[in-house]
Amino acid sequence: LMEMVRTEEPAARRQAAEALGRIGEARAVPVLIEASANPEDRFVEHSIIYSLIRLGAEEPLNRALDHPNPRVRKAALIALDQMDGNPLRKEQLTALLDTQDEHLGGAVLWVVSHRPEWSGEVIEFLRARVQEKQFPTEDAEPIRRALLAFCADDGMQKMTAELMDAGADHPERQLFLLDAIGDCSLDDLPPLWIAQFQALVKDSDPRVRQKVLALVAARRIPDLDAKLKEIAANQAESDDLRTAALGALVSYRPGLTTPGFQFLLGLLPVETEADLRLSVAQVLSRAGLTSEQLLVVAREHLPGADPLILPTLPDAFRNAREEEVGRALVAGLLKTPEAVGGMAGERLRELLENFPSGVRREARPLLIQVEKEKESRAERLKELEPLLTAGGDVGRGRNVFFGKKGACSSCHTIGIEGGHVGPDLTAVGSVRSGIDILEAIVFPSASFVPGHEVYRVKTARETFSGVRGESAGDAVVLISGPRDRVRIPRSEIVSMEPSTVSLMPDGFDENLTEQEMIDMLAFLQAQKSRRIAAGSAS
């Protein structure tokens, strides 16, 4: 049996482990501990741990907590925690808090979760780590997990608030804590944290201020109303920050003042950085614009709208009913013939269904046009395929990918650089063919990378689209862009379903010159590994 539990197939290993636990021979303990290093599946692991619990040999398990293999440490930790007499000591648990192993880290947090009397030691350990001069380092993930596990604890909330307040000279620490708070499962954030937001929104580091505004928007926190209005109206502030402030305001109180509306419209032209233009379009789409404001958008900004903002901007009309507004919407879309294919037919129909029948009749040519462009996709790809072998320059392609015009890195990562809205493209050249990469750029809605599917979530008041983030049991987190994240309580959700429309607009290639497209395709095809990505970054 001791030989079988180490070397046999999983089903036999499981049966052997269970038998050894029932027999009760103490000499089986070291063998079971050794077998826990490579359990193969959760069933085998469970059987090994359960037998270690039944055998009750405390000293070998204490020694196993120092084993170099994290799977062995995990098995020993759970067995000691569950044995009669609760022999696990809190200093043993604290020593494991700093692990980088996901499985062991999860077990540590699970043990702490049902031993609330140990939370004080955990909090002091976390305080010491977060206060380290070089924090956060690349191995900070276990600290984030622990903060999230205890975010409902009063002591943890107080410590987090104190560390945010003490981090004025350490913005990286503040950004780390704000990120953790953003993923906290609490429905209502504690007043201690909101008081810190009031102070941080005036912080000199623009990244911290931007992060606070994003958090206020995602959580729809009204307590900063006066400060948000002040930032939005202050012409000395950056366009990014003013846009973020307006986005936070409309997240809980729809409506834009005339100055705010005019400010956002002034950022829609193509001369504005791509990621900021997209953020502006997202704010407008959720702002609850008046009929007069919608008419301005339809008549002056929809005509000629490019593929970057076209899929988003019409969402501003989602709750409109007036015939004049509907006719202006259709007329505006009909003046974007080269870009309108970036909108899916089903989204257009949904957008138009609230308008009178006359508006829907006028929109028929628009829907026909969308379907025709959809049918011509294969021809479009064939037409663009020679760009894959046109001898692009990888260095120039990198500049396009990470530059302001393409702004691809706002959502995608290569190596250690970039955002995390879309799939990591570090080794895309080794897993996707050239034609697949081309199709993903030109027609991104044709297929979705697993884990990055887009969902449409409807509440009684509005509709959100985005990739699902780390959602808690009582809320859904949607990420719609590099600066757009929202947490929606499940109690407010009317429906949630997969979307057929990517967050990346169809026809994105039309934003680039032919040479820029050739160079970026060469750059993406060259991404074969993380080593290559690191080399190209240098």
Side-chain angles (χ1 to χ4, degrees):
L1 287 171
M2 289 193 294
E3 181 64 23
M4 288 174 68
V5 81
R6 287 186 301 227
T7 62
E8 277 288 349
E9 293 296 315
R13 291 185 69 192
R14 178 171 56 81
Q15 295 286 356
E18 292 174 359
L20 289 170
R22 286 196 298 271
I23 291 169
E25 285 279 353
R27 61 196 175 105
V29 172
V31 177
L32 287 166
I33 290 174
E34 178 189 345
S36 69
N38 60 333
E40 295 186 75
D41 64 35
R42 289 284 291 115
F43 300 103
V44 174
E45 181 181 50
H46 176 78
S47 298
I48 290 171
I49 294 173
Y50 183 64
S51 290
L52 287 171
I53 293 169
R54 294 187 68 174
L55 291 167
E58 183 179 336
E59 284 309 311
L61 291 172
N62 284 333
R63 293 192 296 271
L65 289 176
D66 296 321
H67 196 280
N69 189 308
R71 288 298 188 112
V72 174
R73 298 202 297 277
K74 174 187 175 183
L77 171 67
I78 295 175
L80 285 167
D81 176 63
Q82 296 294 301
M83 280 166 52
D84 291 340
N86 298 319
L88 182 68
R89 302 187 302 276
K90 61 185 176 184
E91 59 268 22
Q92 292 174 312
L93 180 73
T94 305
L96 298 175
L97 277 168
D98 215 11
T99 180
Q100 294 303 302
D101 183 79
E102 180 181 355
H103 301 285
L104 176 56
V108 171
L109 295 179
W110 175 75
V111 171
V112 174
S113 69
H114 60 262
R115 291 178 181 258
E117 69 275 13
W118 289 0
S119 64
E121 283 74 14
V122 174
I123 290 171
E124 288 311 308
F125 165 81
L126 295 175
R127 182 191 295 274
R129 277 300 315 276
V130 176
Q131 285 181 319
E132 289 176 0
K133 187 174 181 180
Q134 299 302 320
F135 188 87
T137 56
E138 292 182 3
D139 61 352
E141 178 58 22
I143 308 302
R144 191 186 78 88
R145 290 200 302 264
L147 289 170
L148 290 176
F150 282 90
C151 68
D153 182 272
D154 290 343
M156 183 70 79
Q157 292 172 4
K158 182 179 178 182
M159 180 205 76
T160 306
E162 290 170 352
L163 290 173
M164 279 194 288
D165 186 38
D169 296 327
H170 200 329
E172 297 297 337
R173 178 190 300 156
Q174 291 175 323
L175 290 169
F176 175 85
L177 293 170
L178 289 168
D179 272 332
I181 288 172
D183 290 330
C184 174
S185 60
L186 293 175
D187 280 339
D188 298 313
L189 298 186
L192 273 173
W193 289 353
I194 294 174
Q196 284 304 315
F197 299 163
Q198 297 269 11
L200 291 178
V201 82
K202 299 183 293 186
D203 193 284
S204 59
D205 191 295
R207 297 172 300 163
V208 174
R209 302 178 74 194
Q210 190 86 35
K211 183 69 72 174
V212 173
L213 293 176
L215 210 162
V216 170
R219 292 287 187 148
R220 291 178 277 184
I221 302 171
D223 304 63
L224 279 74
D225 200 88
K227 285 187 169 58
L228 295 180
K229 290 177 180 177
E230 181 183 330
I231 293 171
N234 188 350
Q235 296 183 13
E237 298 283 10
S238 69
D239 291 342
D240 285 327
L241 210 62
R242 294 178 69 189
T243 300
L246 288 169
L249 282 167
V250 302
S251 69
Y252 59 82
R253 184 182 50 75
L256 283 173
T257 63
T258 298
F261 179 60
Q262 292 299 330
F263 164 72
L264 292 175
L265 293 183
L267 296 175
L268 284 178
V270 293
E271 293 78 17
T272 304
E273 292 181 16
D275 58 343
L276 178 54
R277 293 177 66 225
L278 184 56
S279 293
V280 168
Q282 288 167 337
V283 174
L284 290 170
S285 72
R286 294 180 184 169
L289 300 180
T290 65
S291 297
E292 291 74 17
Q293 291 172 333
L294 288 173
L295 287 171
V296 172
V297 172
R299 291 167 178 169
E300 300 178 19
H301 296 276
L302 272 183
D306 67 347
L308 181 66
I309 63 172
L310 180 62
T312 303
L313 205 52
D315 278 342
F317 297 79
R318 185 174 51 246
N319 296 319
R321 301 289 188 274
E322 296 87 348
E323 184 165 353
E324 183 183 9
V325 172
R327 291 181 185 277
L329 169 64
V330 172
L333 290 173
L334 282 169
K335 292 177 182 176
T336 59
E338 62 282 330
V340 78
M343 295 190 66
E346 58 269 28
R347 278 194 62 200
L348 270 177
R349 292 187 187 91
E350 182 181 335
L351 198 62
L352 295 165
E353 66 183 9
N354 293 326
F355 290 108
S357 57
V359 173
R360 295 197 296 275
R361 281 195 301 271
E362 288 187 17
R364 285 173 187 166
L366 186 63
L367 293 168
I368 292 171
Q369 184 179 322
V370 169
E371 294 305 315
K372 282 184 178 179
E373 291 194 25
K374 186 176 179 181
E375 292 170 4
S376 66
R377 286 181 176 182
E379 293 178 13
R380 175 67 174 154
L381 281 178
K382 189 174 181 180
E383 178 185 316
L384 293 174
E385 191 171 356
L387 302 184
L388 292 166
T389 54
D393 182 277
V394 172
R396 290 200 306 261
R398 175 183 171 77
N399 291 337
V400 174
F401 185 90
F402 286 99
K404 294 180 179 179
K405 185 176 181 181
C408 308
S409 60
S410 297
C411 294
H412 297 281
T413 297
I414 286 185
I416 60 172
E417 298 179 76
H420 302 284
V421 180
D424 188 326
L425 302 180
T426 298
V428 66
S430 66
V431 296
R432 302 287 293 271
S433 67
I435 194 67
D436 285 343
I437 294 173
L438 178 64
E439 183 182 46
I441 294 172
V442 182
F443 301 120
S445 298
S447 63
F448 292 95
V449 174
H452 288 83
E453 298 88 352
V454 176
Y455 288 85
R456 281 176 67 77
V457 176
K458 290 185 179 182
T459 66
R461 189 169 67 86
E462 52 192 319
T463 301
F464 303 92
S465 292
V467 177
R468 291 187 65 174
E470 293 185 13
S471 302
D474 55 355
V476 170
V477 175
L478 285 186
I479 303 169
S480 301
R483 311 177 192 187
D484 194 11
R485 179 187 183 97
V486 64
R487 184 178 185 273
I488 311 164
R490 290 186 184 272
S491 59
E492 296 181 12
I493 295 176
V494 175
S495 66
M496 180 171 67
E497 55 189 19
S499 172
T500 59
V501 183
S502 171
L503 294 180
M504 180 175 169
D506 281 8
F508 182 72
D509 58 300
E510 296 173 20
N511 277 0
L512 307 177
T513 67
E514 182 175 288
Q515 188 59 55
E516 287 170 335
M517 187 69 176
I518 290 170
D519 293 336
M520 190 169 72
L521 286 169
F523 171 66
L524 292 174
Q525 290 180 92
Q527 301 309 305
K528 303 292 186 183
S529 67
R530 292 196 174 274
R531 179 182 58 80
I532 291 174
S536 66
S538 63

